[in-house]
């Protein structure tokens, strides 16, 4: 997410890094060529870049943090908002100097923006040599060969089967403690404001056994937390009948007939009690009581749910094609609180100024926020995206001034709710997983509790990857501050 005036996040902690921009780091394993990847947008994009790095590593590439040293530069792009695409175009101008000094350099654009624009990207940005959609990364070595022969190369084919289940991702920007694990790709929810179904294709779920094996491998390497990723994890569903290719090497008695998301959560939680499990993102129409009871059953499944509301008004939600109304959303929140307790963290996405939204309907969003008391939110004003259902059906008739004013009111409301929720933690004992030193002070360490809130504690006789029992003694709207009571035995 881009933390700009048009795209403002309240994220879990002042120490947290907004998910908008990451680059590769220096790797020296003796390979002869250098790859530089810059990733924008959501966690799924960052996970995809790890798949790309793995494919390119097999092709003889180490990664670099300096694009001037790169033989190949990839931009893994986002199309969710216009600002995200503008950022990519501006960044391409920075690469022109590098390519001028190193003409043999190859520049490729990957991901959602590539999928949306296809060959048109090559016409608009002459510096680009390769355009590759999210389902075509296996073809990168071939496309690179074409580009190195002086031709432009494009593959934006959207697959009904590709999940990259057999590729072991190269962990980029890793703290060695937390990691993303993709469990599915694509999206079947045709929200009218969203380009994702057009840029990432239809939903398909990854073989659950490969997911469990990846989690086991990560744990064996010292990782203590995995986040299961999907555009809508609640709709995860795998069966041998629908995934015959994944079944070929398995005995009949070893195959579960149907694995839904609740089943998968349990399978990953059983890898080890010391491996924390998170997931993102949930859709309000799909999150089931079974998922909630599974979360309650296992202590190592974190008690946190990202549940995007987008609006608090039922008419606007219908125009957004969210397939639920205000009452349905509030019932799901009530059920979360009933099963998992008030301590369960809940976050949201909010869009202000959607087509034809009235002041009264905007007030419904604010009142929903008053009722739910989100721990934090990702908040934006509406940005019309070409090709979406909203762009085709509804005029973008709310002025920028009104959109920004409404967004400001939502941000103010969320800040107050975040502080109110964090104050409830004061004096409580919690378990935090240490992710590393604080960016603000070498005298502090940072980590997160089960509810996905950042906790800052004084440095001591512990290190990243340790579980600590802490007592919360202070807070801001974005961060908890604690004192360490003990190093948790489950380390």
């Amino acid at each position: 997410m881009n933390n700009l005036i048009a795209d403002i996040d309240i994220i879990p902690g002042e120490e947290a890094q907004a998910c908008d921009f990451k680059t590769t780091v220096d790797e020296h394993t003796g390979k002869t060529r250098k790859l530089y990847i810059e990733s924008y947008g959501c966690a799924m994009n960052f996970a995809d870049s790890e798949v790309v790095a793995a494919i390119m590593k097999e092709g003889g590439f180490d990664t670099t943090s300096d694009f001037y040293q790169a033989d190949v530069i990839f931009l893994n792009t986002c199309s969710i908002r216009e600002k995200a695409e503008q950022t990519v175009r501006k960044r391409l101008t920075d690469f022109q100097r590098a390519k001028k000094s190193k003409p043999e350099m190859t520049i490729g654009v990957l991901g959602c923006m590539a999928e949306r624009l296809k060959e048109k990207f090559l016409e608009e940005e002459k510096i680009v040599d390769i355009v590759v959609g999210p389902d075509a990364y296996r073809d990168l070595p071939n496309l690179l060969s074409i580009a190195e022969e002086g031709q432009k190369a494009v593959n934006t084919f959207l697959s009904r089967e590709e999940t990259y289940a057999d590729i072991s991702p190269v962990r980029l920007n890793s703290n060695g403690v937390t990691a993303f694990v993709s469990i599915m790709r694509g999206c079947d929810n045709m929200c009218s404001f969203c380009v994702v179904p057009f840029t990432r294709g239809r939903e398909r779920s990854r073989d659950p056994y490969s997911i469990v094996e990846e989690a086991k491998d990560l744990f064996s390497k010292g990782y203590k937390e995995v986040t299961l990723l999907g555009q809508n994890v609640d709709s995860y569903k795998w069966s041998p009948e629908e995934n015959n290719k994944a079944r070929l090497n398995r005995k009949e008695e070893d195959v579960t007939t149907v694995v839904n998301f609740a089943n998968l959560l349990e399978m990953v939680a059983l890898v080890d009690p010391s491996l924390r499990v998170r997931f993102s993102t949930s859709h309000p129409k799909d999150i089931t009581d079974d998922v909630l009871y599974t979360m309650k059953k296992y202590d190592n499944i974190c008690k946190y749910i990202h549940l995007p509301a987008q609006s608090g008004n039922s008419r606007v939600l219908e125009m957004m094609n969210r397939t639920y109304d205000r009452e349905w959303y509030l019932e799901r929140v009530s059920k979360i609180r009933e099963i998992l307790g008030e301590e369960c963290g809940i976050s949201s996405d909010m869009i202000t100024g959607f087509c034809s939204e009235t002041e009264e309907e905007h007030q419904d969003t604010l009142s929903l926020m008053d009722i739910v008391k989100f721990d934090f939110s990702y908040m934006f004003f509406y940005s019309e995206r070409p090709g979406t259902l909203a762009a085709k059906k509804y005029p973008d008739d709310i002025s920028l001034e009104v959109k920004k004013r409404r967004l400001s009111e939502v941000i103010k409301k969320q800040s107050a709710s975040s502080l109110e929720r964090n104050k409830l933690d004061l004096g409580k004992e919690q378990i935090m997983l240490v992710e590393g030193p604080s960016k603000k002070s070498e005298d502090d360490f940072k980590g997160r509790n089960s509810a996905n809130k950042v906790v800052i504690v004084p440095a001591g006789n512990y290190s990243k990857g340790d579980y600590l029992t802490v007592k919360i003694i202070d807070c801001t709207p974005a961060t908890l501050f604690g004192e360490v009571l003990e190093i948790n035995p489950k380390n």
Side-chain angles (χ1 to χ4, degrees):
M1 305 295 180
N2 294 319
N3 50 338
L4 304 161
I5 183 63
D7 313 292
I8 295 184
D9 305 350
I10 294 291
I11 56 179
E14 293 168 343
E15 290 280 336
Q17 179 179 359
C19 292
D20 60 347
F21 174 81
K22 286 185 180 180
T23 65
T24 45
V25 297
D26 293 310
E27 182 184 41
H28 304 285
T29 65
K31 292 182 169 58
T32 58
R33 309 183 72 189
K34 291 292 185 180
L35 168 69
Y36 174 87
I37 306 177
E38 222 167 74
S39 306
Y40 295 82
C42 64
M44 185 66 75
N45 267 14
F46 301 142
D48 277 0
S49 289
E50 295 181 336
V51 169
V52 169
I55 292 170
M56 297 296 286
K57 187 172 184 178
E58 287 294 314
F61 285 83
D62 275 342
T63 56
T64 178
S65 62
D66 181 2
F67 64 80
Y68 279 96
Q69 302 301 316
D71 298 287
V72 175
I73 294 175
F74 286 150
L75 275 174
N76 195 349
T77 62
C78 175
S79 271
I80 198 70
R81 292 179 298 282
E82 182 181 1
K83 183 65 180 180
E85 294 196 355
Q86 290 174 349
T87 300
V88 168
R89 291 189 187 275
K90 183 176 184 297
R91 189 59 169 152
L92 285 171
T93 65
D94 296 331
F95 296 149
Q96 286 179 337
R97 294 188 297 274
K99 191 160 186 175
K100 186 175 181 180
S101 64
K102 194 174 184 179
E104 69 275 18
M105 177 186 288
T106 301
I107 296 178
V109 174
L110 317 180
C112 293
M113 191 176 178
E115 187 65 45
R116 189 180 78 79
L117 293 173
K118 300 180 172 61
E119 291 87 352
K120 185 180 179 182
F121 209 119
L122 297 175
E123 299 170 9
E124 296 175 349
E125 303 289 349
K126 303 300 183 185
I127 192 177
V128 175
D129 305 298
I130 298 175
V131 174
V132 188
D135 290 345
Y137 296 144
R138 291 183 194 271
D139 197 28
L140 278 170
N142 173 57
L143 297 171
L144 185 59
S145 296
I146 293 172
E148 289 173 343
E149 292 174 0
Q151 302 180 58
K152 301 290 186 179
V154 179
N155 187 340
T156 54
F157 174 74
L158 285 176
S159 170
R160 294 295 297 270
E161 298 177 345
E162 182 62 83
T163 63
Y164 301 111
D166 60 321
I167 295 177
S168 180
V170 172
R171 302 299 167 179
L172 304 174
N173 306 105
S174 174
N175 59 11
V177 178
T178 64
F180 295 130
V181 176
S182 296
I183 67 169
M184 59 190 301
R185 299 184 71 81
C187 184
D188 287 348
N189 298 313
M190 298 298 292
C191 299
S192 64
F193 55 81
C194 187
V195 298
V196 168
F198 307 104
T199 60
R200 286 192 168 269
R202 299 296 299 275
E203 283 182 3
R204 61 272 191 198
S205 297
R206 178 180 164 188
D207 172 8
Y209 303 98
S210 72
I211 295 169
V212 171
E213 287 305 310
E214 184 174 340
K216 286 181 178 179
D217 180 64
L218 286 165
F219 186 70
S220 72
K221 293 175 178 175
Y223 286 82
K224 293 293 185 69
E225 179 179 295
V226 294
T227 299
L228 308 182
L229 290 180
Q231 253 71 41
N232 177 17
V233 292
D234 303 300
S235 61
Y236 176 92
K237 184 179 180 182
W238 184 93
S239 67
E241 293 77 17
E242 296 175 357
N243 299 270
N244 287 324
K245 289 185 178 180
R247 187 188 179 191
L248 290 179
N249 297 321
R250 303 194 182 282
K251 297 178 181 179
E252 182 70 31
E253 59 267 26
D254 293 335
V255 176
T256 304
T257 304
V258 174
V259 178
N260 61 25
F261 185 56
N263 303 143
L264 179 67
L265 262 182
E266 183 169 47
M267 291 168 69
V268 178
L270 289 171
V271 167
D272 194 279
S274 295
L275 180 68
R276 271 186 170 180
V277 184
R278 299 188 186 275
F279 57 88
S280 186
T281 293
S282 293
H283 195 292
K285 74 178 177 63
D286 291 323
I287 191 164
T288 65
D289 290 359
D290 285 344
V291 168
L292 302 180
Y293 282 116
T294 301
M295 293 176 68
K296 181 178 182 179
K297 181 178 179 181
Y298 294 95
D299 290 339
N300 60 325
I301 300 179
C302 292
K303 306 307 183 276
Y304 162 70
I305 298 173
H306 184 57
L307 197 69
Q310 307 298 1
S311 172
N313 177 265
S314 293
R315 186 191 74 87
V316 173
L317 288 170
E318 183 176 7
M319 289 183 66
M320 290 178 167
N321 197 33
R322 292 292 286 172
T323 67
Y324 58 84
D325 58 16
R326 177 187 175 96
E327 287 68 30
W328 174 276
Y329 186 91
L330 290 173
E331 186 279 329
R332 287 289 81 197
V333 170
S334 176
K335 186 60 70 171
I336 291 169
R337 298 294 189 208
E338 175 189 327
I339 296 173
L340 297 176
E342 289 295 326
E343 294 78 17
C344 180
I346 302 177
S347 60
S348 184
D349 293 350
M350 288 296 182
I351 298 174
T352 65
F354 187 69
C355 309
S356 78
E357 181 189 60
T358 66
E359 282 299 320
E360 291 75 16
E361 290 165 341
H362 168 61
Q363 291 300 318
D364 284 344
T365 294
L366 296 177
S367 68
L368 181 89
M369 296 175 72
D370 279 331
I371 295 169
V372 178
K373 302 292 185 186
F374 296 109
D375 292 87
F376 55 93
S377 292
Y378 302 94
M379 299 163 286
F380 324 99
F381 63 65
Y382 174 62
S383 172
E384 183 178 85
R385 308 307 297 128
T388 59
L389 299 178
K392 295 175 182 178
K393 293 175 62 177
Y394 310 126
D396 183 8
D397 55 0
I398 308 298
S399 72
L400 184 59
E401 179 183 5
V402 170
K403 288 179 181 179
K404 287 185 175 182
R405 190 258 302 161
R406 291 177 184 173
L407 176 59
S408 178
E409 292 173 4
V410 166
I411 293 168
K412 182 178 179 181
K413 179 75 67 177
Q414 182 56 60
S415 182
S417 293
S418 295
L419 181 59
E420 182 177 338
R421 287 285 295 171
N422 282 353
K423 283 182 176 180
L424 295 177
D425 291 326
L426 293 176
K428 292 183 178 179
E429 294 184 12
Q430 300 179 348
I431 303 296
M432 68 172 283
L433 174 61
V434 179
E435 297 178 4
S438 164
K439 290 184 175 68
K440 291 185 177 180
S441 172
E442 295 181 357
D443 296 328
D444 295 326
F445 272 72
K446 66 175 175 123
R448 284 181 296 164
N449 65 10
S450 179
N452 205 31
K453 297 179 182 180
V454 167
V455 183
I456 305 297
V457 295
N461 189 27
Y462 42 81
S463 58
K464 67 178 183 179
D466 284 342
Y467 287 101
L468 305 178
T469 300
V470 302
K471 181 178 179 180
I472 305 303
I473 59 174
D474 199 2
C475 70
T476 69
T479 307
L480 301 176
F481 298 90
E483 59 181 16
V484 178
L485 301 181
E486 66 175 342
I487 299 178
N488 198 290
K490 71 177 179 177
N491 291 317

